[in-house]
């Protein structure tokens, strides 16, 4: 074993070593590149003072000690720089030191690049840039010693100006640049194609005359016309038949069940045990996973069949009216957004399960001996080793009562000297009894391992959550949209905060900022403060709110009422669109079958996460519980999902109303079986070992699943947030409507455009902007005053009610009726604004 390890080390050293000759040549080129870069930079600054010596022969220039230059690399450096800049390609000579350094890195094997491709790019761009600079500074060439485009650029631009004129020269240079960008940038190329397609659609349908005197339709109808003529001229057109279908019987695959020869049967395994070491699904490893930033998309297949129906081929009335063929892209505003990369997460290496076979057989013997002490015989036993827990599956002999084994939980735990065991009698769907025993050396489940797993990357869930790994070492992934609300509870220090961070991290790695928003309530003021930097990407708050992360108890109630108003507004949009849920609504909006001028908009999912729910209940009581219960009862269909976390799973905190509306629950280790029953309606959470060990009970499941929560540390979360916040974001957080609470406890949306006596606080300055610009556009109000779409739409309705702008007319901007500021002032005074 030692020799093998030594051999591997030697092979690794050989792979990383560089031949001495290549190392010396590479370092020489890198040093020459650095020196040449210094010479060129100095020449641009001090070349005018040294200009008089460049006319001397090179031999005299170097040998004459009385000649001095200001270049830090002396006369030779100044002469080389003058040759490259003045007599060469001007400022584009900067590519020469870059090529020297890149060649050195390539020879040393440090930078894996295609040297010929780099050479071609640098030469091409140097030639183009030299001509462009010469063309741009053609009138300044006589006023300065430095030709920015060099002699080459000055001569070529002068020749092109005389040959095709200045306009032709500019058009040629622009075409070359745009063509290069289009070949390297897919988004730019797609944008050009889209513009050309729209220009093609808007061309007039001009008839084209033919030699026979017929009139043919233009553009797209030509092909149909030609096909009709070919059909009429073909004598055998009526006799053509389609080819016979091919035989596909050879493509059927069969499956065979393979049973190992050494698999024991129930009759001869009384004293033996089958050991299975759980491995991740699909054997996903770092070597199998490409080292690229993950971009959420559908799993690609080698062959894709798209079958369109007649309904798919029908355009909506809005599309036909406006001539729009492309679908709406909700990511267009942040089209350059990059998802976090895997290297932002900490890599704990390949976690190999270290539970020894001796320990496993020792535990097996103790379990069998304990059961025999109580006259319980078993026919077989199997061990499945997971990251933190080993599952022993036993099959009792006929006639043994299951409840008798379940009552021996404390006796088995004492014989194994374990922190705590959990007995599942029976395991659903297997017909065996499971005994979960903690491993002596539990392994860390890293967040990187679950994020890189195929089950998470290829998940088709609306909101996929990868929260950890099961006993069989499979990544546990569920869909928050189907949960639809989640209750998280556990004692202090057992992993609740890490679990919430794992949920948020999963969403950040899969959902675009335009597709989901968070409402974070953090009474402790320290758990979610790290996410404040995401306010322009992923967070939502009330229009009048100061901070995107809510820490003030007094603002929690207003925020919950605001979410209730947002929920009601979304239901009105779904009613107008004749759909039943947010997925159908967004699909209809993306297909441009909903008009934005009718207040329709793309609806992102809204995830409300409330930490320390117990403190809220103790402080506000029913004032908080009632809006939470209303959200949990109704908000699923409109894409609003809630996660509650508490460290006090008592009945006065997790009331019957909360439990009834939160069918999915996660239980970390708790102090007693009573607390476990409060959370899961069953015992088991009190037997967990802590440190992220949890039971997950999802909607529709009868028994919880034991999962080891993925560990994501604060520095990892900070790196992810810094990566996201450094990118371009929206003008501010997603705005929730402000609310007004009445004396009777009812609430309504503030600044409601339907109330004649209420006007927005910014109505005066917005009205002045509309009159001055003579543009009545909701999107213009959003951009200029940084307000949300809902508020901008209400302000536009108020302007319409005052007679300043016209009613909406499709997608066209509203006409502005008021022409002068004096007339506007009279209107505002009349309405008391």
């Amino acid at each position: 074993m030692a020799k093998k390890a030594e051999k591997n080390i030697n092979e690794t050293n050989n792979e990383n070593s560089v031949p001495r000759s290549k190392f010396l040549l590479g370092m020489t080129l890198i040093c020459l590149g650095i020196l040449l870069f210094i010479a060129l930079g100095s020449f641009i600054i001090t070349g005018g003072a040294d200009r008089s010596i460049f006319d001397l022969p090179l031999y005299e220039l170097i040998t004459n000690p009385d000649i001095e230059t200001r270049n830090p690399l002396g006369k030779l450096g100044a002469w080389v720089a003058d040759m490259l800049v003045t007599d060469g390609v001007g400022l584009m000579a900067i590519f020469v030191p870059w090529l020297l350094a890149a060649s050195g890195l390539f020879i040393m094997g440090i930078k894996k690049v295609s040297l010929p491709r780099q050479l071609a790019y640098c030469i091409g761009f140097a030639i183009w840039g030299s001509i462009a600079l010469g063309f741009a500074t053609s009138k300044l060439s006589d006023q300065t010693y430095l030709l920015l485009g060099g002699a080459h650029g000055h001569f070529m631009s002068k020749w092109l100006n005389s040959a095709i004129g200045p306009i032709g020269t500019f058009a040629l240079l622009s075409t070359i640049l745009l063509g290069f960008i289009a070949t390297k940038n897919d988004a730019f190329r797609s944008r050009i194609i889209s513009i050309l397609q729209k220009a093609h659609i808007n061309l007039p349908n001009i008839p084209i005359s033919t030699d026979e005197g017929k009139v043919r339709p233009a553009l797209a109808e030509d092909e149909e016309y030609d096909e009709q003529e070919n059909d009429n001229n073909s004598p055998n057109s009526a006799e053509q038949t389609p080819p016979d279908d091919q035989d596909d019987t050879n493509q059927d695959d069969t499956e065979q069940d393979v049973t190992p020869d050494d698999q024991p049967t129930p009759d001869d395994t009384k004293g033996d045990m089958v050991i299975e070491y759980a491995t991740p699904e699909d054997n996903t490893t770092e070597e199998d996973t490409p080292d690229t930033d993950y971009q959420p998309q559908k799993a690609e297949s080698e062959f894709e069949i798209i079958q369109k129906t007649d309904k798919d081929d029908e355009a909506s009335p809005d599309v036909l009216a406006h001539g729009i063929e492309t679908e709406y892209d909700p990511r267009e505003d942040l089209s350059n957004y990059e998802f976090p990369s895997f290297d932002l997460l900490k890599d704990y290496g390949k976690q190999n399960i270290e539970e020894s076979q001796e320990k496993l057989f020792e535990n097996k013997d103790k379990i069998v001996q304990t059961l025999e002490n109580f006259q319980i015989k078993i026919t077989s036993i199997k061990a499945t080793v997971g990251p933190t827990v080993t599952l022993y599956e036993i099959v009792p002999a006929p006639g043994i009562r299951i409840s008798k084994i379940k009552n021996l939980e404390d006796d088995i735990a004492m014989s194994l000297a374990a922190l705590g065991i959990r007995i599942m009698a029976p395991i659903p769907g297997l017909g065996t009894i499971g005994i979960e025993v903690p491993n002596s050396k539990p392994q860390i489940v890293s967040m990187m391992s679950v994020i890189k797993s195929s089950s998470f990357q290829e998940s088709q869930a609306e909101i996929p959550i990868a929260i950890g790994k099961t006993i069989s070492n499979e990544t546990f992934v569920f869909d928050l949209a189907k949960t639809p609300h989640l209750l998280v509870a556990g004692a202090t220090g057992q992993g609740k905060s890490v679990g919430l961070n794992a949920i948020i991290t999963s969403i950040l790695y899969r959902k675009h900022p335009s597709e989901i928003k968070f409402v974070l309530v953090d009474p402790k003021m320290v758990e979610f403060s790290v996410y404040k930097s995401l306010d322009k990407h992923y967070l939502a708050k009330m229009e009048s709110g100061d901070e995107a992360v809510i820490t003030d108890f007094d603002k929690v109630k207003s925020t919950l009422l605001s979410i209730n108003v947002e929920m009601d507004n979304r239901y009105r949009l779904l009613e107008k669109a004749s759909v039943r849920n947010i997925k159908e609504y967004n699909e209809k909006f993306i297909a441009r079958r909903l008009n934005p001028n009718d207040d329709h908009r793309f609806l992102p999912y809204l995830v409300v996460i409330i930490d320390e729910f117990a403190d809220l209940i103790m402080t506000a009581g029913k004032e908080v519980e009632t809006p939470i219960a209303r959200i949990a009862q109704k908000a699923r269909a409109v894409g609003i999902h809630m996660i509650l976390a508490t460290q006090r799973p008592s009945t006065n905190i997790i009331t019957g109303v909360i439990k009834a509306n939160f069918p999915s629950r996660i239980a970390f280790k708790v102090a007693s079986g009573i607390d476990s029953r409060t959370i899961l309606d069953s015992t088991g959470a009190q037997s967990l070992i802590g440190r992220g060990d949890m039971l997950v009970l999802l909607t529709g499941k009868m028994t919880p699943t034991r999962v080891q929560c993925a560990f994501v540390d604060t520095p990892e979360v900070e790196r992810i947030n810094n990566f996201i916040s450094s990118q371009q974001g929206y003008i501010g957080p997603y705005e929730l409507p402000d609310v007004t609470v009445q004396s009777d406890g009812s609430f309504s949306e503030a600044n409601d455009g339907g109330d004649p006596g209420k006007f927005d606080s910014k109505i005066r300055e917005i009205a002045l902007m509309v009159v001055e610009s003579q543009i009545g556009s909701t999107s213009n109000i959003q951009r200029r005053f940084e307000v949300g779409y809902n508020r901008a739409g209400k302000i536009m309705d108020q302007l319409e009610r005052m007679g300043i702008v016209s009613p909406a007319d499709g997608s066209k901007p509203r006409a502005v009726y008021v022409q002068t500021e004096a007339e506007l002032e009279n209107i505002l005074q009349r309405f008391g604004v």
Side-chain angles (χ1 to χ4, degrees), residues 62-124:
I62 296 177
T63 57
N64 189 348
D66 296 331
I67 300 176
E68 296 182 355
T69 64
R70 297 180 61 183
N71 196 295
L73 293 184
K75 293 177 287 187
L76 182 60
W79 183 83
V80 172
D82 177 70
M83 182 184 64
L84 291 176
V85 176
T86 306
D87 300 332
V89 292
L91 296 183
M92 295 298 105
I94 198 68
F95 286 109
V96 177
W98 158 251
L99 279 176
L100 290 174
S103 301
L105 294 174
F106 176 78
I107 291 173
M108 296 172 64
I110 297 177
K111 187 174 180 63
K112 301 295 184 181
V113 295
S114 175
L115 196 58
R117 181 182 300 176
Q118 292 283 336
L119 181 62
Y121 284 162
C122 289
I123 292 176

Side-chain angles (χ1 to χ4, degrees), residues 496-766:
K496 292 191 309 302
S497 298
V498 175
L500 295 178
N501 287 331
I503 292 174
I504 297 175
T505 301
S506 299
I507 296 176
L508 295 181
Y509 268 87
R510 281 298 302 268
K511 304 299 287 184
H512 191 270
S514 63
E515 299 169 345
I516 198 165
K517 302 294 179 182
F518 293 98
V519 177
L520 302 179
V521 178
D522 182 18
K524 289 197 298 187
M525 298 183 288
V526 293
E527 294 296 341
F528 296 145
S529 59
V530 69
Y531 296 104
K532 287 184 178 180
S533 59
L534 303 184
D535 57 340
K536 294 185 178 180
H537 294 83
Y538 283 100
L539 300 188
K541 70 176 183 65
M542 295 175 58
E543 295 177 1
S544 60
D546 298 329
E547 296 289 340
V549 178
I550 304 165
T551 58
D552 189 353
F553 281 101
D554 296 333
K555 295 182 179 179
V556 174
K557 179 184 176 182
S558 300
T559 303
L560 293 174
L561 295 179
S562 176
I563 297 172
N564 275 264
V565 173
E566 174 74 9
M567 176 184 68
D568 295 335
N569 292 340
R570 291 190 173 198
Y571 268 112
R572 294 189 188 98
L573 293 177
L574 264 62
E575 180 185 11
K576 291 169 62 176
S578 301
V579 295
R580 296 183 301 174
N581 55 57
I582 187 175
K583 184 178 180 181
E584 296 177 1
Y585 178 88
N586 284 337
E587 288 176 352
K588 208 169 182 179
F589 186 84
I590 290 175
R592 297 189 184 273
R593 296 169 60 190
L594 300 175
N595 194 337
N597 292 301
D598 295 333
D599 293 334
H600 289 295
R601 66 187 191 278
F602 182 83
L603 298 179
Y605 285 94
L606 199 62
V607 179
V608 184
I609 304 179
I610 300 178
D611 195 17
E612 296 300 333
F613 176 65
D615 289 346
L616 293 180
I617 291 295
M618 294 175 61
T619 304
K622 291 293 182 181
E623 294 181 356
V624 170
E625 183 180 359
T626 301
I628 288 177
R630 188 168 183 267
I631 293 171
Q633 289 169 350
K634 295 181 56 178
R636 171 184 180 179
V638 292
I640 301 177
H641 305 280
M642 181 168 286
I643 300 175
L644 299 183
T646 179
Q647 63 181 3
R648 294 185 56 191
S650 56
T651 54
N652 62 329
I653 302 300
I654 305 177
T655 61
V657 175
I658 297 298
K659 290 181 64 175
N661 294 289
F662 284 78
S664 297
R665 301 154 196 174
I666 294 178
F668 291 87
K669 181 177 176 59
V670 294
S672 65
I674 297 177
D675 291 341
S676 178
R677 287 186 178 277
T678 303
I679 307 169
L680 303 173
D681 293 327
S682 63
T683 58
Q686 78 281 2
S687 302
L688 300 176
I689 61 175
R691 297 177 61 86
D693 192 16
M694 60 185 178
L695 295 176
V696 182
L697 179 63
L698 298 179
T699 305
K701 301 292 184 180
M702 298 300 296
T703 56
T705 303
R706 191 165 187 172
V707 179
Q708 176 62 38
C709 182
F711 179 70
V712 53
D713 204 359
T714 302
E716 299 176 73
V717 176
E718 290 177 347
R719 287 195 296 269
I720 295 172
N721 294 341
N722 292 336
F723 176 82
I724 295 175
S725 61
S726 64
Q727 303 182 56
Q728 178 186 0
Y730 297 101
I731 58 177
Y734 181 83
E735 291 187 347
L736 300 173
D738 285 335
V739 294
T740 301
V741 181
Q742 309 297 334
S743 58
D744 58 353
S746 61
F747 59 92
S748 61
E749 184 173 357
N751 296 324
D752 191 351
D755 189 344
K758 293 182 179 179
F759 291 97
D760 194 274
S761 58
K762 293 187 176 182
I763 187 67
R764 173 176 283 275
E765 50 185 321
I766 292 178

